[in-house]
Amino acid sequence: PRPYGSAPPELREQTLVLVKPDAVQRRLVGDVIRRFERRGFKLVAMKLLQADRGLLDKHYQQLRQKPFYPALLSYMTSGPLVAMVWEGYNVVRSTRAMVGDTNSAQAAAGTIRGDFSMHVSRNVVHASDSVETALREIGFWFQRDELVAWESSDRDYTYGP
Ligand code: GDP
Ligand code: MG
């Protein structure tokens, strides 16, 4: 395989995905991972952890004044979650499209939320909403050395030469 770094920068966009505690409890981790793998994105970091309030206050800093924030905190600390970093072309926007509407009740069939959930308060996954947010969020959840730099051998079949 070619050395990591030989791909053009647009193929190395990264996003943060969280498989939230409801999805871990419901044994949906594999189904969520499978969707991103089949799309062709590359997994570059993953861990199971129990999030604490300090981490979630940073992650959801723009939501801290919302009335539902206490409920969101208690949901997100109710059990372990899986944090992942996915990499590839347009991964931030594509991942948001695959995740679907924030409100699961309105999420389109075929999206992760539309297929696996019904209510906004238990909506299975998180995905960063912009490239800038993704950079910041990845830094909250992962140390630099937890991201694995690797070049996938199928790159020409995924993107063309
Ligand atoms: P996202 O980017 O699609 O996840 O949506 P937001 O950034 O707007 O909200 C973050 C998370 O807060 C959502 O994924 C939900 O888990 C939760 N959330 C958003 N709106 C509500 C709400 O009205 N009620 C409750 N209980 N949770 C909400
Ligand atoms: Mg959001």
Side-chain angles (χ1 to χ4, degrees), residues 2-133:
R2 290 170 291 204
Y4 185 77
S6 63
E10 68 265 25
L11 304 192
R12 302 212 307 272
E13 185 175 303
Q14 296 182 337
T15 198
L16 178 80
V17 172
L18 303 176
V19 186
K20 294 178 172 181
D22 54 332
V24 174
Q25 295 291 337
R26 295 172 56 205
R27 315 296 199 271
L28 294 174
V29 176
D31 289 287
V32 173
I33 291 173
R34 190 199 317 264
R35 289 184 178 225
F36 298 124
E37 278 195 318
R38 287 204 300 213
R39 187 80 190 267
F41 294 120
K42 186 171 70 177
L43 184 62
V44 299
M46 177 164 71
K47 60 184 170 187
L48 178 82
L49 74 155
Q50 171 70 51
D52 63 20
R53 181 180 179 147
L55 178 54
L56 292 163
D57 280 347
K58 283 190 278 179
H59 177 75
Y60 283 132
Q61 55 197 88
Q62 75 289 6
L63 298 177
R64 285 170 73 171
Q65 306 309 320
K66 299 279 186 190
F68 60 81
Y69 190 67
L72 177 59
L73 260 187
S74 111
Y75 163 44
M76 293 296 289
T77 57
S78 64
L81 53 75
V82 177
M84 310 183 286
V85 177
W86 289 91
E87 182 179 288
Y89 179 73
N90 201 37
V91 69
V92 171
R93 289 192 60 183
S94 295
T95 300
R96 289 286 289 189
M98 292 168 72
V99 163
D101 196 288
T102 300
N103 185 349
S104 298
Q106 280 155 31
T111 65
I112 294 170
R113 286 168 172 164
D115 287 351
F116 295 136
S117 61
M118 293 185 288
H119 195 270
V120 67
S121 69
R122 298 290 185 268
N123 62 359
V124 177
V125 281
H126 165 84
S128 308
D129 63 10
S130 73
V131 173
E132 297 69 39
T133 310

